[in-house]
Every structure is written in structure tokens, then in C-alpha cells.
Amino acid sequence: MPRRTATMLASTLMLIVLLCAGVFIPVPYSEMSPGPTVNTLGDHDGDPVLRIDGRKTYPTDGHLNMTTVRVTSADYRMNLVEAVYGWLAHDNKVVPHDTLYPDGKTEEQSTQENAEEFSQSQESAKVAALKELDVPVKSWVIVSMVVKGSPAEGKLHAGDVIRSVDGSAVREPADVAELVTKHKPGEDVGFTIVPAKEQAAAEKENRTPTGTEEITITTVASDDAGDDRAVVGIAAGIDHTFPFTIDIKLADVGGPSAGLMFALGLYDKLTPGSLTGGKFVAGTGTIDDAGKVGPIGGIEMKTVGARAKGAEYFLTPADNCAAAAEDVPEGLTLIKVDTIDDALGALKDLGSGDTADLPTCTAS
């Protein structure tokens, strides 16, 4: 066989081997890409995203779109060819698999966690919007989770209202941990609670809960390595009662990043006039009860997805601004927001056409 032919044959065989390796050998990466974007002022799958009953609402126009990111599943393993294509693609992002699913987290665990965060973001969005409108919201500290096998199992239950710990009134979830950790492992701690069933019945009947229970629990040392704090095995959270009904319906979405846009959509529906002035505004950001906007993941994917749907402006958490500004889709203006007040101020400027002083994002 001539040397040139042999060389070409060997090169071809090597190329085939490399291609096969690229296709069949998995690599420890996952892919993020732009996901759906939904107008919080409109309908989704035939139902209003935001439904308010028992309070006057007002017509809205324009868009206040929440944005999402698609990710490959926990069980899916990319091959080398897919990873290289993802690295080269402008609209996708390839990241280490452990970034999306740390510590071997399963698809089911990730979905459950995202659902819980999504539910909490809805509650915080409602509280933040109503606080902006000076509408009173009743809040109290509850048991949000009981760890299986912990001292609290069977004594405290999810939904129980925690009135006090060791006789000290509880006003924030952090108060519970602070009071429990004043003890040493093996010591008793006392909880004054309203049982979840009584609290639910009182809410349904629009009355004040009656009767409390005194629960004593013996603390144990934390399971965390190097941490000998006293614990009882619960997580505390906040629950609220609203003066009218607010339903947020959006299927197949998880995580906390739609909080800001839900809050703005509610504010717009509960106030006369249009916040957007008919403009197409999208955005993202977590929100807490006080209206503080927090950063999210996948900001580059969200701006791409928003612009592809027609967004002209994008409300961007302050801590995401630098990353988002590195590669802004043409025709999209990034507006920096740190609180719901910042977002409302920017929207009012947009609605009035006064855009000269909008706080835009800049690259670092």
C-alpha cells in the first residue's frame, strides 16, 4: 500500500475513533438555555397568571414578563460533541453538572426544592406588593419542616404556629434558632404553639385562634461536622393571611426568580393606570417580604429569551448587572434594580416616556 494512502487511511480511522469517542463518552457537564417567558399581566394555558378576588382591580396593558431557564435533567449525561457545540453556541451555556445538581442531587429532589422555592417566592411577592400599597398583611412564624428522626418529630408539625420559645416571644424565624441554640445539647427547650389544625380552622372561619399548647423537647447536638450547637430538628418559616384572595398560577415553573415580576404584576393590577405605558418589559429577581430584590442564576439565558419574545427593557437585579451587561442582546436595555421601589420608579419613568435617567447596567 502506498505510504500516502496508508497515511490517509490511518488519519480517517483516527478521525472515526475520535468521533465515536465524542459521541459515546459522557462528560460531567450540563447545559442551560433560554426557557419560556410569560406575561404576568396576561393568561397562560387559558388561565390568568395573577387572579385577584375580593379587591377592585384595574385594566393593564403592555408586558411584565417573567423569564426562565431550561436545564438538562440530572440523569442526562452530555457527550463531548454536545459539550463542544454548547460552548460554541451563543444562546446556550455549558456548566459543570455539579453546578446544577450539587452533592448528587436527583431530579426529583431538585424539582421538589424548586417547587418549594417557587411557592415561597409567590408568598413574598404578595407581601411585597401589598406593603407597597399599605395594605395590612398578618404574619406569624410557623414550623415549616420537621426533620425525620429528630427530637421534634411527633411533637411539632409543619404548619404549627410558634408563639414563643422558653417564654420569649417569636417574631422572626431567626428568633427560633437563636433561642434554641442558647441551650446545650441534652437540655430541654419549651415551645408555645398554636397547632396547625387550629390555625387553619381559625383562618377559614375568620377568627382568632383559640388555645395554645406547651411542648417540651430535649435538644441534641447538630449533625453538621464541627458544629455542636443544640438543635431540635425543625426549620422555621413565615406564613401570612391576606385580606383578599390572590392566586398565582403558572405550571411547570420552579425556583424563586419570578418573585419580582409577580410583585410588579400584582401592583399593576391593583392600581389605576398602566405601569408599563404599553411597553414590553421583562425581568427577573428574587424578592423578600420587605421588597429587596436578589440575584438569580442564568441571567444571560434570560435576557436572550426575553429579547427573542420582543422585550425592549429588562429589569435586572443589581448583583447580576455586571454579568448581564457583558453580552446584551441587541435592542434590549438592562435596568438595574435593587428593590421593588427601584423597579416601580423605573416602570413609571418608562410609562411616562422619561427614559433619560434610567439606571442601566454596565459591564465591570
Side-chain angles (χ1 to χ4, degrees):
M1 181 183 298
R3 179 177 298 178
R4 183 175 180 180
T5 302
T7 301
M8 291 180 63
L9 180 59
S11 299
T12 300
L13 291 173
M14 181 62 69
L15 179 60
I16 292 172
V17 170
L18 291 173
L19 287 173
C20 289
V23 170
F24 293 110
I25 297 178
V27 291
Y29 292 97
S30 296
E31 186 176 67
M32 304 169 65
S33 59
T37 173
V38 178
N39 186 10
T40 62
L41 300 177
D43 294 348
H44 182 65
D45 291 340
D47 293 314
V49 176
L50 306 176
R51 178 167 181 164
I52 300 168
D53 294 313
R55 181 87 171 190
K56 183 177 181 180
T57 58
Y58 299 87
T60 61
D61 61 8
H63 287 250
L64 285 172
N65 278 45
M66 55 80 67
T67 50
T68 65
V69 174
R70 283 195 180 95
V71 298
T72 49
S73 69
D75 296 331
Y76 181 75
R77 290 295 182 267
M78 299 182 70
N79 60 50
L80 184 59
V81 172
E82 291 172 321
V84 171
Y85 178 82
W87 279 318
L88 296 176
H90 179 264
D91 293 347
N92 297 348
K93 186 176 183 179
V94 175
V95 298
H97 185 269
D98 289 345
T99 300
L100 300 178
Y101 304 101
D103 303 323
K105 186 183 296 182
T106 66
E107 183 80 13
E108 182 178 4
Q109 290 171 327
S110 181
T111 299
Q112 176 62 29
E113 183 179 292
N114 284 336
E116 291 171 359
E117 291 178 338
F118 186 64
S119 178
Q120 182 56 54
S121 76
Q122 294 179 40
E123 292 298 292
S124 293
K126 296 173 188 178
V127 175
L130 296 191
K131 283 185 175 180
E132 284 294 316
L133 296 167
D134 294 324
V135 175
V137 176
K138 294 180 181 178
S139 304
W140 50 85
V141 178
I142 63 166
V143 176
S144 62
M145 181 189 71
V146 178
V147 177
K148 188 175 182 180
S150 70
E153 186 179 16
K155 294 188 173 184
L156 296 179
H157 305 86
D160 288 347
V161 178
I162 305 174
R163 288 285 179 82
S164 65
V165 176
D166 290 333
S168 297
V170 168
R171 294 180 175 83
E172 301 289 341
D175 295 342
V176 178
E178 181 180 347
L179 291 165
V180 170
T181 54
K182 286 183 177 180
H183 291 269
K184 294 179 180 179
E187 294 181 346
D188 289 343
V189 57
F191 288 81
T192 302
I193 68 161
V194 175
K197 289 183 179 179
E198 166 58 18
Q199 181 64 35
E203 290 181 46
K204 185 176 181 179
E205 297 164 10
N206 195 28
R207 60 174 173 83
T208 301
T210 58
T212 59
E213 294 183 4
E214 303 295 328
I215 307 293
T216 299
I217 302 176
T218 303
T219 62
V220 296
S222 170
D223 288 337
D224 295 340
D227 187 353
D228 60 355
R229 293 177 305 158
V231 298
V232 296
I234 65 169
I238 288 280
D239 202 0
H240 309 279
T241 293
F242 301 101
F244 49 89
T245 302
I246 303 173
D247 285 328
I248 300 177
K249 290 188 177 181
L250 199 57
D252 302 322
V253 176
S257 65
L260 171 63
M261 303 311 292
F262 286 148
L264 295 173
L266 289 170
Y267 185 96
D268 200 1
K269 284 177 171 282
L270 290 167
T271 53
S274 168
L275 274 181
T276 67
K279 295 181 175 61
F280 195 136
V281 181
T284 189
T286 66
I287 199 164
D288 64 16
D289 291 1
K292 173 71 174 176
V293 176
I296 52 80
I299 187 67
E300 304 93 333
M301 304 297 99
K302 292 186 174 184
T303 57
V304 169
R307 182 56 185 150
K309 287 294 184 179
E312 302 169 277
Y313 300 92
F314 194 92
L315 300 175
T316 311
D319 289 343
N320 290 125
C321 257
E326 291 289 341
D327 189 12
V328 185
E330 185 177 354
L332 189 67
T333 298
L334 305 183
I335 301 174
K336 180 180 179 180
V337 296
D338 196 45
T339 65
I340 189 173
D341 285 334
D342 293 342
L344 289 171
L347 288 171
K348 288 172 182 176
D349 286 343
L350 286 176
S352 67
D354 182 14
T355 60
D357 296 322
L358 286 174
T360 54
C361 295
T362 56
S364 57

Short mmCIF file of all heavy atoms in Angstrom, two decimals, residues 7-70:
data_model
loop_
_atom_site.label_atom_id
_atom_site.label_comp_id
_atom_site.label_asym_id
_atom_site.label_seq_id
_atom_site.Cartn_x
_atom_site.Cartn_y
_atom_site.Cartn_z
N THR A 7 -1.30 6.61 5.06
CA THR A 7 -1.43 7.75 5.98
C THR A 7 -2.86 8.27 6.01
O THR A 7 -3.42 8.56 7.07
CB THR A 7 -0.48 8.88 5.56
OG1 THR A 7 0.86 8.38 5.57
CG2 THR A 7 -0.59 10.07 6.50
N MET A 8 -3.47 8.39 4.82
CA MET A 8 -4.85 8.87 4.74
C MET A 8 -5.80 7.91 5.43
O MET A 8 -6.74 8.32 6.14
CB MET A 8 -5.26 9.06 3.28
CG MET A 8 -4.53 10.22 2.58
SD MET A 8 -5.04 10.39 0.86
CE MET A 8 -6.78 10.79 1.06
N LEU A 9 -5.55 6.60 5.24
CA LEU A 9 -6.40 5.61 5.88
C LEU A 9 -6.29 5.67 7.40
O LEU A 9 -7.29 5.62 8.12
CB LEU A 9 -6.03 4.20 5.38
CG LEU A 9 -6.85 3.04 5.96
CD1 LEU A 9 -8.33 3.22 5.66
CD2 LEU A 9 -6.34 1.71 5.39
N ALA A 10 -5.05 5.80 7.87
CA ALA A 10 -4.83 5.88 9.32
C ALA A 10 -5.48 7.13 9.89
O ALA A 10 -6.09 7.10 10.97
CB ALA A 10 -3.32 5.89 9.60
N SER A 11 -5.36 8.25 9.15
CA SER A 11 -5.98 9.50 9.61
C SER A 11 -7.50 9.38 9.67
O SER A 11 -8.15 9.85 10.60
CB SER A 11 -5.58 10.66 8.69
OG SER A 11 -4.19 10.84 8.70
N THR A 12 -8.07 8.72 8.64
CA THR A 12 -9.52 8.53 8.60
C THR A 12 -9.98 7.67 9.77
O THR A 12 -10.99 7.97 10.43
CB THR A 12 -9.93 7.89 7.27
OG1 THR A 12 -9.52 8.74 6.19
CG2 THR A 12 -11.44 7.70 7.22
N LEU A 13 -9.24 6.57 10.03
CA LEU A 13 -9.59 5.70 11.14
C LEU A 13 -9.51 6.43 12.47
O LEU A 13 -10.36 6.27 13.36
CB LEU A 13 -8.69 4.47 11.15
CG LEU A 13 -8.91 3.47 10.00
CD1 LEU A 13 -7.85 2.38 10.03
CD2 LEU A 13 -10.31 2.85 10.10
N MET A 14 -8.46 7.26 12.62
CA MET A 14 -8.30 8.04 13.85
C MET A 14 -9.45 9.02 14.03
O MET A 14 -9.97 9.19 15.13
CB MET A 14 -6.97 8.80 13.81
CG MET A 14 -6.71 9.64 15.08
SD MET A 14 -6.59 8.62 16.58
CE MET A 14 -5.03 7.78 16.25
N LEU A 15 -9.87 9.65 12.91
CA LEU A 15 -10.99 10.59 12.98
C LEU A 15 -12.27 9.87 13.39
O LEU A 15 -13.04 10.38 14.21
CB LEU A 15 -11.18 11.26 11.62
CG LEU A 15 -12.33 12.27 11.52
CD1 LEU A 15 -12.14 13.41 12.50
CD2 LEU A 15 -12.44 12.81 10.09
N ILE A 16 -12.48 8.69 12.84
CA ILE A 16 -13.67 7.90 13.19
C ILE A 16 -13.64 7.55 14.68
O ILE A 16 -14.66 7.65 15.38
CB ILE A 16 -13.75 6.63 12.34
CG1 ILE A 16 -14.04 7.00 10.87
CG2 ILE A 16 -14.83 5.69 12.87
CD1 ILE A 16 -13.94 5.82 9.92
N VAL A 17 -12.46 7.14 15.17
CA VAL A 17 -12.32 6.80 16.59
C VAL A 17 -12.64 8.01 17.47
O VAL A 17 -13.36 7.91 18.47
CB VAL A 17 -10.91 6.27 16.89
CG1 VAL A 17 -10.69 6.16 18.41
CG2 VAL A 17 -10.70 4.91 16.23
N LEU A 18 -12.11 9.19 17.09
CA LEU A 18 -12.34 10.40 17.87
C LEU A 18 -13.81 10.80 17.85
O LEU A 18 -14.37 11.21 18.87
CB LEU A 18 -11.47 11.54 17.34
CG LEU A 18 -9.97 11.41 17.58
CD1 LEU A 18 -9.22 12.52 16.86
CD2 LEU A 18 -9.66 11.42 19.07
N LEU A 19 -14.44 10.67 16.68
CA LEU A 19 -15.87 10.99 16.59
C LEU A 19 -16.71 10.05 17.45
O LEU A 19 -17.64 10.48 18.14
CB LEU A 19 -16.34 10.94 15.13
CG LEU A 19 -15.88 12.09 14.23
CD1 LEU A 19 -16.27 11.83 12.78
CD2 LEU A 19 -16.49 13.41 14.71
N CYS A 20 -16.36 8.76 17.42
CA CYS A 20 -17.07 7.80 18.24
C CYS A 20 -16.89 8.11 19.72
O CYS A 20 -17.83 8.03 20.51
CB CYS A 20 -16.59 6.38 17.95
SG CYS A 20 -17.12 5.77 16.31
N ALA A 21 -15.66 8.47 20.08
CA ALA A 21 -15.39 8.83 21.48
C ALA A 21 -16.20 10.05 21.87
O ALA A 21 -16.77 10.13 22.97
CB ALA A 21 -13.91 9.09 21.68
N GLY A 22 -16.26 11.03 20.96
CA GLY A 22 -17.00 12.24 21.26
C GLY A 22 -18.48 12.00 21.43
O GLY A 22 -19.15 12.66 22.23
N VAL A 23 -19.02 11.04 20.70
CA VAL A 23 -20.45 10.76 20.75
C VAL A 23 -20.81 9.86 21.93
O VAL A 23 -21.85 10.05 22.58
CB VAL A 23 -20.92 10.11 19.43
CG1 VAL A 23 -22.35 9.60 19.56
CG2 VAL A 23 -20.81 11.12 18.29
N PHE A 24 -19.97 8.87 22.23
CA PHE A 24 -20.34 7.86 23.21
C PHE A 24 -19.75 8.06 24.61
O PHE A 24 -20.25 7.48 25.57
CB PHE A 24 -19.94 6.47 22.69
CG PHE A 24 -20.72 6.05 21.48
CD1 PHE A 24 -20.11 5.98 20.23
CD2 PHE A 24 -22.07 5.74 21.58
CE1 PHE A 24 -20.82 5.61 19.11
CE2 PHE A 24 -22.79 5.35 20.45
CZ PHE A 24 -22.17 5.29 19.21
N ILE A 25 -18.72 8.88 24.74
CA ILE A 25 -18.13 9.08 26.07
C ILE A 25 -18.80 10.27 26.76
O ILE A 25 -18.76 11.39 26.25
CB ILE A 25 -16.61 9.32 25.97
CG1 ILE A 25 -15.92 8.09 25.38
CG2 ILE A 25 -16.03 9.67 27.33
CD1 ILE A 25 -14.43 8.25 25.19
N PRO A 26 -19.45 10.04 27.90
CA PRO A 26 -20.12 11.16 28.59
C PRO A 26 -19.10 12.07 29.27
O PRO A 26 -18.00 11.65 29.65
CB PRO A 26 -20.99 10.44 29.63
CG PRO A 26 -20.29 9.15 29.89
CD PRO A 26 -19.64 8.76 28.60
N VAL A 27 -19.49 13.33 29.43
CA VAL A 27 -18.64 14.31 30.11
C VAL A 27 -19.46 14.92 31.26
O VAL A 27 -20.69 14.99 31.18
CB VAL A 27 -18.15 15.40 29.15
CG1 VAL A 27 -17.16 14.83 28.14
CG2 VAL A 27 -19.30 16.08 28.43
N PRO A 28 -18.81 15.38 32.32
CA PRO A 28 -19.53 15.85 33.52
C PRO A 28 -20.05 17.28 33.39
O PRO A 28 -19.71 18.15 34.19
CB PRO A 28 -18.47 15.73 34.62
CG PRO A 28 -17.18 15.99 33.91
CD PRO A 28 -17.34 15.36 32.54
N TYR A 29 -20.86 17.51 32.37
CA TYR A 29 -21.38 18.86 32.14
C TYR A 29 -22.89 18.81 31.89
O TYR A 29 -23.45 17.78 31.51
CB TYR A 29 -20.68 19.51 30.94
CG TYR A 29 -19.23 19.82 31.19
CD1 TYR A 29 -18.24 18.94 30.76
CD2 TYR A 29 -18.85 20.97 31.87
CE1 TYR A 29 -16.89 19.21 31.00
CE2 TYR A 29 -17.52 21.25 32.11
CZ TYR A 29 -16.54 20.37 31.69
OH TYR A 29 -15.22 20.64 31.93
N SER A 30 -23.52 19.96 32.12
CA SER A 30 -24.94 20.14 31.80
C SER A 30 -25.09 21.41 31.00
O SER A 30 -24.17 22.23 30.94
CB SER A 30 -25.77 20.23 33.09
OG SER A 30 -25.72 19.02 33.81
N GLU A 31 -26.26 21.57 30.40
CA GLU A 31 -26.48 22.73 29.53
C GLU A 31 -27.66 23.57 30.00
O GLU A 31 -28.68 23.04 30.45
CB GLU A 31 -26.73 22.27 28.10
CG GLU A 31 -26.83 23.41 27.09
CD GLU A 31 -27.00 22.90 25.67
OE1 GLU A 31 -28.05 22.31 25.37
OE2 GLU A 31 -26.07 23.09 24.89
N MET A 32 -27.48 24.89 29.93
CA MET A 32 -28.54 25.84 30.21
C MET A 32 -28.89 26.55 28.91
O MET A 32 -28.00 26.85 28.11
CB MET A 32 -28.08 26.87 31.25
CG MET A 32 -27.60 26.25 32.55
SD MET A 32 -26.76 27.47 33.62
CE MET A 32 -28.12 28.59 34.00
N SER A 33 -30.19 26.81 28.70
CA SER A 33 -30.62 27.53 27.50
C SER A 33 -31.84 28.38 27.85
O SER A 33 -32.49 28.16 28.88
CB SER A 33 -30.95 26.53 26.38
OG SER A 33 -31.98 25.65 26.79
N PRO A 34 -32.17 29.36 27.00
CA PRO A 34 -33.33 30.20 27.29
C PRO A 34 -34.61 29.37 27.39
O PRO A 34 -34.88 28.51 26.58
CB PRO A 34 -33.38 31.15 26.09
CG PRO A 34 -31.98 31.19 25.58
CD PRO A 34 -31.44 29.81 25.79
N GLY A 35 -35.41 29.66 28.43
CA GLY A 35 -36.68 28.97 28.62
C GLY A 35 -37.84 29.87 28.26
O GLY A 35 -37.67 30.99 27.77
N PRO A 36 -39.06 29.42 28.52
CA PRO A 36 -40.25 30.23 28.21
C PRO A 36 -40.27 31.53 29.01
O PRO A 36 -39.72 31.62 30.11
CB PRO A 36 -41.41 29.32 28.63
CG PRO A 36 -40.83 27.94 28.68
CD PRO A 36 -39.41 28.11 29.07
N THR A 37 -40.93 32.53 28.46
CA THR A 37 -41.16 33.79 29.17
C THR A 37 -42.65 34.08 29.11
O THR A 37 -43.28 33.93 28.06
CB THR A 37 -40.34 34.94 28.55
OG1 THR A 37 -40.73 36.18 29.15
CG2 THR A 37 -40.53 35.04 27.05
N VAL A 38 -43.24 34.46 30.26
CA VAL A 38 -44.69 34.58 30.38
C VAL A 38 -45.06 35.94 30.94
O VAL A 38 -44.46 36.42 31.91
CB VAL A 38 -45.26 33.47 31.30
CG1 VAL A 38 -46.76 33.62 31.46
CG2 VAL A 38 -44.92 32.09 30.75
N ASN A 39 -46.06 36.57 30.33
CA ASN A 39 -46.54 37.87 30.78
C ASN A 39 -47.37 37.70 32.05
O ASN A 39 -48.44 37.09 32.03
CB ASN A 39 -47.38 38.54 29.69
CG ASN A 39 -47.78 39.96 30.05
OD1 ASN A 39 -47.29 40.53 31.03
ND2 ASN A 39 -48.65 40.54 29.26
N THR A 40 -46.90 38.25 33.17
CA THR A 40 -47.64 38.11 34.44
C THR A 40 -48.95 38.88 34.42
O THR A 40 -49.82 38.64 35.27
CB THR A 40 -46.79 38.59 35.63
OG1 THR A 40 -46.48 39.99 35.48
CG2 THR A 40 -45.50 37.79 35.72
N LEU A 41 -49.12 39.79 33.46
CA LEU A 41 -50.37 40.54 33.34
C LEU A 41 -51.42 39.81 32.50
O LEU A 41 -52.56 40.26 32.42
CB LEU A 41 -50.10 41.91 32.71
CG LEU A 41 -49.13 42.82 33.45
CD1 LEU A 41 -48.90 44.10 32.66
CD2 LEU A 41 -49.63 43.14 34.85
N GLY A 42 -51.01 38.72 31.87
CA GLY A 42 -51.90 38.03 30.94
C GLY A 42 -52.30 36.65 31.39
O GLY A 42 -52.31 36.33 32.58
N ASP A 43 -52.64 35.82 30.40
CA ASP A 43 -53.08 34.45 30.65
C ASP A 43 -51.98 33.47 30.25
O ASP A 43 -51.11 33.78 29.43
CB ASP A 43 -54.34 34.12 29.85
CG ASP A 43 -55.55 34.92 30.29
OD1 ASP A 43 -55.46 35.56 31.36
OD2 ASP A 43 -56.55 34.91 29.56
N HIS A 44 -52.06 32.28 30.85
CA HIS A 44 -51.16 31.20 30.47
C HIS A 44 -51.96 29.90 30.48
O HIS A 44 -52.58 29.56 31.50
CB HIS A 44 -49.99 31.11 31.45
CG HIS A 44 -48.99 30.04 31.09
ND1 HIS A 44 -48.23 30.09 29.94
CD2 HIS A 44 -48.63 28.90 31.73
CE1 HIS A 44 -47.45 29.04 29.89
NE2 HIS A 44 -47.67 28.30 30.96
N ASP A 45 -51.98 29.21 29.36
CA ASP A 45 -52.77 27.98 29.21
C ASP A 45 -54.24 28.21 29.55
O ASP A 45 -54.90 27.37 30.18
CB ASP A 45 -52.20 26.86 30.10
CG ASP A 45 -50.85 26.36 29.60
OD1 ASP A 45 -50.54 26.58 28.42
OD2 ASP A 45 -50.11 25.75 30.40
N GLY A 46 -54.75 29.39 29.17
CA GLY A 46 -56.16 29.68 29.33
C GLY A 46 -56.58 30.26 30.67
O GLY A 46 -57.76 30.59 30.85
N ASP A 47 -55.66 30.40 31.61
CA ASP A 47 -55.98 30.95 32.93
C ASP A 47 -55.14 32.20 33.20
O ASP A 47 -53.98 32.27 32.78
CB ASP A 47 -55.71 29.92 34.04
CG ASP A 47 -56.64 28.74 33.97
OD1 ASP A 47 -57.85 28.95 33.79
OD2 ASP A 47 -56.14 27.59 34.08
N PRO A 48 -55.71 33.17 33.94
CA PRO A 48 -54.91 34.34 34.32
C PRO A 48 -53.72 33.91 35.19
O PRO A 48 -53.88 33.07 36.08
CB PRO A 48 -55.88 35.20 35.13
CG PRO A 48 -57.24 34.70 34.79
CD PRO A 48 -57.08 33.25 34.46
N VAL A 49 -52.56 34.46 34.90
CA VAL A 49 -51.39 34.17 35.75
C VAL A 49 -51.64 34.70 37.16
O VAL A 49 -51.35 34.03 38.15
CB VAL A 49 -50.11 34.78 35.15
CG1 VAL A 49 -48.92 34.56 36.09
CG2 VAL A 49 -49.83 34.19 33.77
N LEU A 50 -52.18 35.90 37.25
CA LEU A 50 -52.49 36.53 38.53
C LEU A 50 -54.00 36.73 38.62
O LEU A 50 -54.57 37.45 37.79
CB LEU A 50 -51.78 37.88 38.67
CG LEU A 50 -50.27 37.88 38.47
CD1 LEU A 50 -49.73 39.30 38.54
CD2 LEU A 50 -49.58 37.00 39.51
N ARG A 51 -54.62 36.12 39.61
CA ARG A 51 -56.06 36.29 39.79
C ARG A 51 -56.32 36.86 41.18
O ARG A 51 -55.83 36.31 42.18
CB ARG A 51 -56.78 34.96 39.63
CG ARG A 51 -58.28 35.08 39.86
CD ARG A 51 -59.04 33.87 39.40
NE ARG A 51 -60.47 34.05 39.61
CZ ARG A 51 -61.40 33.30 39.03
NH1 ARG A 51 -61.03 32.35 38.18
NH2 ARG A 51 -62.67 33.51 39.27
N ILE A 52 -57.09 37.92 41.23
CA ILE A 52 -57.39 38.61 42.48
C ILE A 52 -58.90 38.65 42.67
O ILE A 52 -59.63 39.11 41.79
CB ILE A 52 -56.82 40.04 42.46
CG1 ILE A 52 -55.30 40.00 42.26
CG2 ILE A 52 -57.17 40.79 43.74
CD1 ILE A 52 -54.68 41.35 41.94
N ASP A 53 -59.38 38.16 43.81
CA ASP A 53 -60.80 38.18 44.15
C ASP A 53 -60.99 38.89 45.49
O ASP A 53 -60.20 38.69 46.43
CB ASP A 53 -61.35 36.76 44.25
CG ASP A 53 -61.35 36.04 42.90
OD1 ASP A 53 -61.80 36.65 41.92
OD2 ASP A 53 -60.90 34.88 42.86
N GLY A 54 -62.04 39.73 45.57
CA GLY A 54 -62.33 40.43 46.81
C GLY A 54 -61.70 41.79 46.91
O GLY A 54 -61.74 42.43 47.97
N ARG A 55 -61.12 42.27 45.84
CA ARG A 55 -60.49 43.59 45.82
C ARG A 55 -60.62 44.16 44.41
O ARG A 55 -60.48 43.42 43.42
CB ARG A 55 -59.01 43.48 46.18
CG ARG A 55 -58.25 44.79 46.21
CD ARG A 55 -58.35 45.46 47.55
NE ARG A 55 -57.47 46.62 47.64
CZ ARG A 55 -57.22 47.27 48.77
NH1 ARG A 55 -57.77 46.85 49.91
NH2 ARG A 55 -56.41 48.32 48.78
N LYS A 56 -60.87 45.45 44.30
CA LYS A 56 -61.00 46.06 42.98
C LYS A 56 -59.69 45.98 42.22
O LYS A 56 -58.62 46.24 42.77
CB LYS A 56 -61.42 47.53 43.12
CG LYS A 56 -61.64 48.22 41.78
CD LYS A 56 -62.13 49.65 41.95
CE LYS A 56 -62.38 50.30 40.58
NZ LYS A 56 -62.86 51.69 40.71
N THR A 57 -59.77 45.60 40.95
CA THR A 57 -58.59 45.58 40.08
C THR A 57 -58.83 46.52 38.90
O THR A 57 -59.95 46.95 38.64
CB THR A 57 -58.31 44.16 39.56
OG1 THR A 57 -59.46 43.67 38.86
CG2 THR A 57 -57.98 43.22 40.71
N TYR A 58 -57.75 46.80 38.17
CA TYR A 58 -57.81 47.78 37.09
C TYR A 58 -57.22 47.18 35.81
O TYR A 58 -56.35 46.29 35.87
CB TYR A 58 -57.01 49.03 37.48
CG TYR A 58 -57.55 49.71 38.71
CD1 TYR A 58 -57.14 49.32 39.99
CD2 TYR A 58 -58.49 50.74 38.61
CE1 TYR A 58 -57.64 49.93 41.13
CE2 TYR A 58 -58.99 51.37 39.75
CZ TYR A 58 -58.56 50.95 40.99
OH TYR A 58 -59.07 51.58 42.12
N PRO A 59 -57.67 47.65 34.65
CA PRO A 59 -57.12 47.14 33.38
C PRO A 59 -55.63 47.44 33.28
O PRO A 59 -55.14 48.46 33.79
CB PRO A 59 -57.91 47.92 32.32
CG PRO A 59 -59.13 48.42 33.03
CD PRO A 59 -58.73 48.65 34.45
N THR A 60 -54.92 46.56 32.62
CA THR A 60 -53.49 46.74 32.38
C THR A 60 -53.20 46.57 30.90
O THR A 60 -54.02 46.03 30.15
CB THR A 60 -52.65 45.72 33.17
OG1 THR A 60 -53.01 44.39 32.73
CG2 THR A 60 -52.91 45.82 34.66
N ASP A 61 -52.05 47.02 30.49
CA ASP A 61 -51.60 46.73 29.12
C ASP A 61 -50.09 46.58 29.14
O ASP A 61 -49.43 46.70 30.17
CB ASP A 61 -52.05 47.80 28.12
CG ASP A 61 -51.50 49.18 28.44
OD1 ASP A 61 -50.64 49.29 29.34
OD2 ASP A 61 -51.92 50.16 27.80
N GLY A 62 -49.53 46.30 27.97
CA GLY A 62 -48.10 46.05 27.90
C GLY A 62 -47.74 44.70 28.48
O GLY A 62 -48.59 43.82 28.66
N HIS A 63 -46.46 44.53 28.79
CA HIS A 63 -45.95 43.25 29.28
C HIS A 63 -45.09 43.47 30.52
O HIS A 63 -44.29 44.41 30.59
CB HIS A 63 -45.07 42.57 28.23
CG HIS A 63 -45.83 42.00 27.07
ND1 HIS A 63 -45.97 40.65 26.87
CD2 HIS A 63 -46.50 42.60 26.07
CE1 HIS A 63 -46.68 40.44 25.78
NE2 HIS A 63 -47.01 41.61 25.27
N LEU A 64 -45.25 42.57 31.48
CA LEU A 64 -44.32 42.42 32.61
C LEU A 64 -43.98 40.94 32.68
O LEU A 64 -44.56 40.17 33.43
CB LEU A 64 -44.97 42.89 33.91
CG LEU A 64 -45.11 44.40 34.11
CD1 LEU A 64 -45.95 44.71 35.34
CD2 LEU A 64 -43.73 45.04 34.23
N ASN A 65 -43.05 40.53 31.83
CA ASN A 65 -42.77 39.10 31.64
C ASN A 65 -41.76 38.55 32.63
O ASN A 65 -40.68 39.13 32.81
CB ASN A 65 -42.25 38.84 30.23
CG ASN A 65 -43.35 38.73 29.21
OD1 ASN A 65 -44.29 39.53 29.20
ND2 ASN A 65 -43.25 37.74 28.33
N MET A 66 -42.12 37.43 33.26
CA MET A 66 -41.13 36.67 34.00
C MET A 66 -40.38 35.78 33.02
O MET A 66 -40.89 35.46 31.93
CB MET A 66 -41.79 35.85 35.11
CG MET A 66 -42.90 34.92 34.66
SD MET A 66 -42.36 33.35 33.92
CE MET A 66 -41.62 32.58 35.35
N THR A 67 -39.16 35.42 33.35
CA THR A 67 -38.31 34.67 32.42
C THR A 67 -37.78 33.41 33.10
O THR A 67 -37.68 33.35 34.33
CB THR A 67 -37.13 35.54 31.95
OG1 THR A 67 -36.48 36.12 33.09
CG2 THR A 67 -37.62 36.66 31.04
N THR A 68 -37.43 32.43 32.30
CA THR A 68 -36.97 31.15 32.83
C THR A 68 -35.74 30.66 32.07
O THR A 68 -35.39 31.19 31.01
CB THR A 68 -38.08 30.08 32.74
OG1 THR A 68 -38.36 29.83 31.36
CG2 THR A 68 -39.34 30.52 33.45
N VAL A 69 -35.15 29.61 32.62
CA VAL A 69 -34.00 28.94 32.00
C VAL A 69 -34.30 27.45 31.93
O VAL A 69 -34.80 26.86 32.89
CB VAL A 69 -32.71 29.17 32.82
CG1 VAL A 69 -31.56 28.36 32.25
CG2 VAL A 69 -32.35 30.64 32.86
N ARG A 70 -34.02 26.86 30.78
CA ARG A 70 -34.11 25.40 30.65
C ARG A 70 -32.76 24.79 31.02
O ARG A 70 -31.72 25.33 30.67
CB ARG A 70 -34.45 25.00 29.22
CG ARG A 70 -35.90 25.18 28.82
CD ARG A 70 -36.19 24.42 27.54
NE ARG A 70 -37.58 24.55 27.11
CZ ARG A 70 -38.01 25.44 26.23
NH1 ARG A 70 -37.14 26.27 25.67
NH2 ARG A 70 -39.27 25.50 25.89
#
